[in-house]
Amino acid sequence: MTNLEERGHLLTEQVNPSSANLDRLSSLELVDLFNQEDAKTLAAIASARTQLAQAIDLAADKLRQGGRLFYIGAGTSGRLGVLDAAECPPTFCTPPEMVQGIIAGGAGALIRSSEDLEDRAEDGEDAVVRRHLTDLDVLVGITAGGTTPFVQGALQAARRRGTSTVFIACVPAEQVEVPVDIDIRLLVGPEILAGSTRLKAGTVTKMALNILSTGVMVKLGKVYGNRMVDVSVTNKKLQDRALRILEDLTGLSRQEAGFLLEKSGRSVKLALIMHWTHLNKEEAQQLLETHNGQLRLAVDSLKNLAP
């Protein structure tokens, strides 16, 4: 592994020649420079497309078997993982334990800097042990510079337990080699503000996590077409979204959609099955379970009534 005391050679620590006069730029020039540099995130995602697809398939397979998906990181990387995990239950109605984020320093580190804790590899190992990771789980280690001991310790502990491992970093593999099942490198180049990986590295990491978690949920049947049919109806905004999905996919009026939603126990997925198949709630639930939560497969199995 790379010498942790000497990091100047890492891509994320190098100086960006395009921003050499950063402190002399006008506000408009600053915005234009950011826009120019942020465009590199799209190319980085495209270059890692195969590895991202592999991670989606791996995680979906493990979750389908009852496993869990964990993100682990420190600082910005840890916060991004926690954010992505926290957004899965309201978006896809997943149980909180299915996708979890682990950050060095715990919950307090989400709002107060605790970057010094990233140097403790033993804390990463302990996080894996305390959550009882198994061979059904997937651990995604996130570290822009690739060298964070907290993440490295967690990945090593996970591999010893037979857990599938994924690594997300913004430095090339030849700079930091990490033994994992899937190695995702998002090479966006040096930051506008040298070493500030909350910028391009943070942006491209958020993009990658968006793709990973959404892709996994699509594979798990949480989506019908491009609609979030497993949306958790927990507030007015999400209730409006649920009703619009029902109106659009069934042709029902707003009032009729509302009645159907309540009849289904506020489950968009069950409401759609009930409408398309004329089954009652219990029968619709049983049909859905038979097809592992896959709405399209469940409905298509009965007379192909889905539009």
Side-chain angles (χ1 to χ4, degrees):
M1 191 175 74
T2 299
N3 185 337
L4 301 185
E5 301 303 321
E6 297 290 341
R7 304 183 73 252
H9 68 289
L10 296 176
L11 185 62
T12 51
E13 295 296 324
Q14 293 171 12
V15 175
N16 189 332
S18 298
S19 59
N21 61 341
L22 188 65
D23 60 342
R24 298 181 179 181
L25 299 181
S26 68
S27 296
L28 184 57
E29 289 171 330
L30 278 168
V31 172
D32 288 343
L33 179 59
F34 267 96
N35 190 32
Q36 171 188 316
E37 288 293 314
D38 283 344
K40 296 176 182 178
T41 60
L42 298 176
I45 291 291
S47 295
R49 57 190 288 274
T50 299
Q51 293 78 15
L52 281 166
Q54 291 171 344
I56 289 171
D57 289 338
L58 172 66
D61 179 61
K62 294 296 184 179
L63 267 60
R64 202 176 285 119
Q65 298 177 60
R68 299 165 296 173
L69 173 61
F70 290 89
Y71 299 125
I72 191 163
T76 297
S77 296
R79 295 180 191 104
L80 289 171
V82 171
L83 174 62
D84 196 77
E87 290 177 340
C88 285
T91 307
F92 302 108
C93 211
T94 57
E97 62 271 14
M98 178 180 281
V99 184
Q100 300 181 41
I102 305 170
I103 182 171
L110 294 172
I111 57 175
R112 185 182 298 273
S113 174
S114 59
E115 270 72 356
D116 56 315
L117 297 177
E118 71 179 47
D119 292 333
R120 297 172 55 88
E122 62 272 26
D123 285 358
E125 296 177 11
D126 183 60
V128 167
V129 173
R130 284 189 290 108
R131 288 165 178 81
H132 307 288
L133 268 70
T134 73
D135 58 356
L136 285 181
D137 298 320
V138 178
L139 179 67
V140 180
I142 311 168
T143 163
T147 62
T148 304
F150 177 76
V151 175
Q152 297 277 5
L155 288 170
Q156 291 169 11
R159 285 177 63 82
R160 290 195 295 268
R161 300 171 75 91
T163 302
S164 297
T165 52
V166 178
F167 189 58
I168 297 179
C170 297
V171 294
E174 58 267 24
Q175 291 188 349
V176 181
E177 295 183 9
V178 180
V180 290
D181 296 302
I182 300 173
D183 196 350
I184 300 172
R185 303 297 175 133
L186 306 171
L187 306 182
V188 292
E191 300 287 2
I192 286 176
L193 183 62
S196 184
T197 52
R198 70 186 184 88
L199 302 179
K200 280 187 302 185
T203 299
V204 77
T205 297
K206 179 68 170 83
M207 293 167 67
L209 296 182
N210 284 348
I211 293 169
L212 176 56
S213 59
T214 305
V216 168
M217 294 305 161
V218 170
K219 296 293 184 180
L220 293 180
K222 300 290 185 178
V223 174
Y224 183 87
N226 62 355
R227 309 302 181 95
M228 54 174 73
V229 290
D230 252 341
V231 62
S232 180
V233 186
T234 54
N235 62 27
K236 291 181 178 179
K237 179 188 74 175
L238 295 176
Q239 181 173 2
D240 172 68
R241 183 175 298 157
L243 290 173
R244 283 187 286 107
I245 291 172
L246 290 177
E247 290 176 78
D248 291 346
L249 294 181
T250 66
L252 294 174
S253 68
R254 183 82 166 185
Q255 184 176 9
E256 291 169 330
F259 177 75
L260 178 61
L261 184 63
E262 294 303 320
K263 190 176 179 181
S264 69
R266 299 172 74 80
S267 166
V268 173
K269 199 181 259 187
L270 286 183
L272 289 169
I273 293 179
M274 292 166 64
H275 178 76
W276 286 333
T277 67
H278 308 295
L279 297 175
N280 61 36
K281 179 184 174 183
E282 291 71 26
E283 292 169 336
Q285 182 66 56
Q286 184 176 1
L287 178 64
L288 192 60
E289 291 174 358
T290 299
H291 292 277
N292 299 315
Q294 297 276 353
L295 175 59
R296 191 177 295 278
L297 292 179
V299 177
D300 286 353
S301 71
L302 293 181
K303 303 178 183 178
N304 197 29
L305 293 177

